Amino acid sequence: MSYDKTALINRYKWYELVGIYSGIAVFLTFVLAPFVEGFLVSLKPLSQLFSSPYRFWPENGSFDAYITMWDSVPGFARYIFNSFLISTIATVVVLILVVPASYAFARFEFRGRGQLLAAFLAVNMFSGAVLLIPLFRLMRSLGVLNTYFAMIVPGVAFLIPSAIWLLRTYMMRIPRELEEAAYVDGAGYFYTFRRVILPLATPGIAVVAITTFIGAYAQQFIFALTFNSKTEYMPLPIGLFAYFGRQEVIWNELMAASFVGITPAMIVIFFLQRYLVSGLTAGAVK
């Protein structure tokens, strides 16, 4: 039996390729345009931002805002460090809890499994603002207000349900025959999970880690305002909010601070993507 070894992209006609690449170009335009505009705003002097007619490309643009932003909000580096620390700890805690839980939900039949999965979805339907008062009273009773703990725990609680659903779906695609072969050879549940399931689930775990880190990095504003009043524990969103003055907003420095603030997250995501690709290639030959 012969197979067509021609690359899939070369099987399309020219007008089909034009349609495909045009669609990709439109999609990328809508996705990247806000980032491009934000970066150009960071290069413009504040006087040009509200000029008429509006100029998309900056005139006499410079990176001065990336220097002056550190003086406008003292301790901005601390805000970035706090966000990175909170997101990293939250991601590690979520993975420790979610990886074995997802395997249990994917492989074992037990009473109440469907109800628990439905409950996880129900948790995601609630906004964090709805639960702020109960969470505040809980944190106050535990005596953990104005600490990193007060922002990590709520974030972990809201991130675990979606992470379980995502990783459970991936683990269900791993063939059961691999585990059965390990059981026949005398391996136990824990050994099989550690030596067979975890290496094959590396791509799924990497995806969960990326989404969890992004979620933890993005949801810190409301928790920080409610559970924290000390500057030394404040995350990045609070630092960005400091650029909103009473009389005006320093938009160019705000955009510059935004790009500087997301740099650590982008580095982590890029690092995890490398592990994601290596996990995919490793799983393909096992």
Side-chain angles (χ1 to χ4, degrees):
M1 184 176 181
S2 60
Y3 295 93
D4 187 2
K5 298 183 180 180
T6 306
L8 183 60
I9 192 64
N10 294 329
R11 301 178 190 178
Y12 292 101
K13 300 182 183 299
W14 68 269
Y15 53 85
E16 293 175 329
L17 292 175
V18 170
I20 292 173
Y21 287 114
S22 298
I24 294 175
V26 171
F27 173 77
L28 291 178
T29 298
F30 279 98
V31 171
L32 298 178
F35 295 95
V36 174
E37 174 65 9
F39 177 71
L40 294 179
V41 167
S42 69
L43 301 180
K44 296 178 182 179
L46 198 59
S47 58
Q48 290 187 14
L49 297 180
F50 302 100
S51 61
S52 182
Y54 180 75
R55 296 178 179 178
F56 179 76
W57 193 260
E59 182 179 355
N60 299 324
S62 66
F63 290 90
D64 292 342
Y66 289 87
I67 300 175
T68 59
M69 70 175 211
W70 303 100
D71 297 326
S72 299
V73 180
F76 186 76
R78 179 71 182 188
Y79 293 123
I80 298 177
F81 171 79
N82 289 340
S83 276
F84 183 81
L85 178 64
I86 293 170
S87 301
T88 301
I89 296 176
T91 301
V92 172
V93 174
V94 168
L95 290 179
I96 292 175
L97 298 176
V98 163
V99 172
S102 301
Y103 177 69
F105 279 110
R107 284 293 189 260
F108 301 113
E109 296 286 345
F110 53 89
R111 181 176 299 178
R113 186 182 70 163
Q115 289 78 0
L116 281 174
L117 290 173
F120 290 149
L121 285 181
V123 169
N124 284 338
M125 296 174 62
F126 288 93
S127 171
V130 178
L131 302 175
L132 280 180
I133 294 178
L135 286 173
F136 178 82
R137 297 183 64 179
L138 176 62
M139 296 299 170
R140 185 177 60 182
S141 64
L142 294 176
V144 296
L145 293 177
N146 298 319
T147 64
Y148 289 122
F149 186 83
M151 290 178 287
I152 293 172
V153 172
V156 169
F158 281 100
L159 292 169
I160 282 179
S162 57
I164 287 180
W165 272 92
L166 182 62
L167 190 55
R168 168 184 172 270
T169 303
Y170 187 90
M171 286 191 173
M172 291 176 64
R173 299 171 55 186
I174 299 177
R176 290 179 178 268
E177 290 77 9
L178 297 175
E179 299 165 80
E180 294 172 356
Y183 298 149
V184 170
D185 291 338
Y189 285 112
F190 181 76
Y191 183 87
T192 303
F193 173 73
R194 182 169 58 91
R195 299 299 297 271
V196 177
I197 299 300
L198 283 184
L200 296 177
T202 300
I205 295 173
V207 171
V208 171
I210 292 173
T211 55
T212 301
F213 188 88
I214 294 175
Y217 212 81
Q219 69 176 13
Q220 297 166 356
F221 183 77
I222 191 171
F223 294 142
L225 282 181
T226 307
F227 307 137
N228 203 342
S229 60
K230 293 185 177 180
T231 305
E232 58 265 30
Y233 297 117
M234 289 297 186
L236 175 64
I238 303 298
L240 295 178
F241 190 70
Y243 289 96
F244 288 82
R246 293 184 177 180
Q247 302 297 329
E248 64 177 356
V249 180
I250 314 176
W251 288 108
N252 53 351
E253 294 184 4
L254 175 61
M255 291 296 102
S258 300
F259 279 96
V260 172
I262 65 174
T263 300
M266 297 301 297
I267 293 175
V268 170
I269 292 171
F270 177 77
F271 180 75
L272 289 178
Q273 282 182 335
R274 295 176 58 187
Y275 277 91
L276 175 62
V277 174
S278 63
L280 286 170
T281 54
V285 297
K286 288 187 177 182

